[in-house]
Amino acid sequence: MRASYERVLRARALGLGHDTEQHLTRLVLTADPEALADLRAQALAPLAALRPGTIDKLADTLRLWLLLQGRRDDVAAALFVHPQTVRYRMGQVREAYGDTLDDPEVVLALTLALGAPP
């Protein structure tokens, strides 16, 4: 009972309303903000040497690339950019991450890290 109450409080704090069942993913991803921040920093570490604006663009592109399962045209439409821009950005991402983007654990960490707002 207490867990349900705390869940509703977290949902309200996030502005999600009272029906927590509709927002389970968001609630899970925001349950431990410090751990999520650490995961995000760790997952984005390969991009750390780049300019902050570039990191943001690549992270946004990578997030949508993962969520839209690599459908370049869909990613481009969601970002309001040309598909070639997505190809270029993903080339930069692949250069930074190398073969680790083929590792399911890395993909999971990136999906979780990028799935919630920073």
Side-chain angles (χ1 to χ4, degrees):
M1 182 84 108
R2 178 149 176 89
S4 295
Y5 175 72
E6 289 174 358
R7 183 183 291 176
V8 169
L9 290 179
R10 279 199 325 271
R12 288 189 67 195
L14 293 169
L16 300 176
H18 297 294
D19 188 0
T20 60
E21 295 297 314
Q22 300 260 333
H23 305 286
L24 289 174
T25 303
R26 181 89 184 269
L27 288 168
V28 168
L29 287 175
T30 58
D32 186 344
E34 292 83 16
L36 180 59
D38 290 346
L39 176 63
R40 186 174 173 84
Q42 183 182 61
L44 294 178
L47 303 177
L50 302 172
R51 291 190 338 246
T54 301
I55 293 171
D56 292 342
K57 287 179 184 177
L58 294 182
D60 288 343
T61 303
L62 178 56
R63 175 183 175 273
L64 286 168
W65 182 266
L66 293 169
L67 295 177
L68 297 172
Q69 300 174 345
R71 294 187 304 268
R72 185 177 33 173
D73 290 340
D74 292 344
V75 174
L79 292 172
F80 303 104
V81 299
H82 193 276
Q84 278 300 108
T85 301
V86 173
R87 175 180 278 172
Y88 174 73
R89 289 179 186 175
M90 285 309 297
Q92 289 179 291
V93 168
R94 289 203 177 276
E95 186 176 310
Y97 284 89
D99 291 340
T100 63
L101 284 180
D102 297 326
D103 181 341
E105 289 296 318
V106 172
V107 171
L108 175 60
L110 285 165
T111 301
L112 293 172
L114 297 172

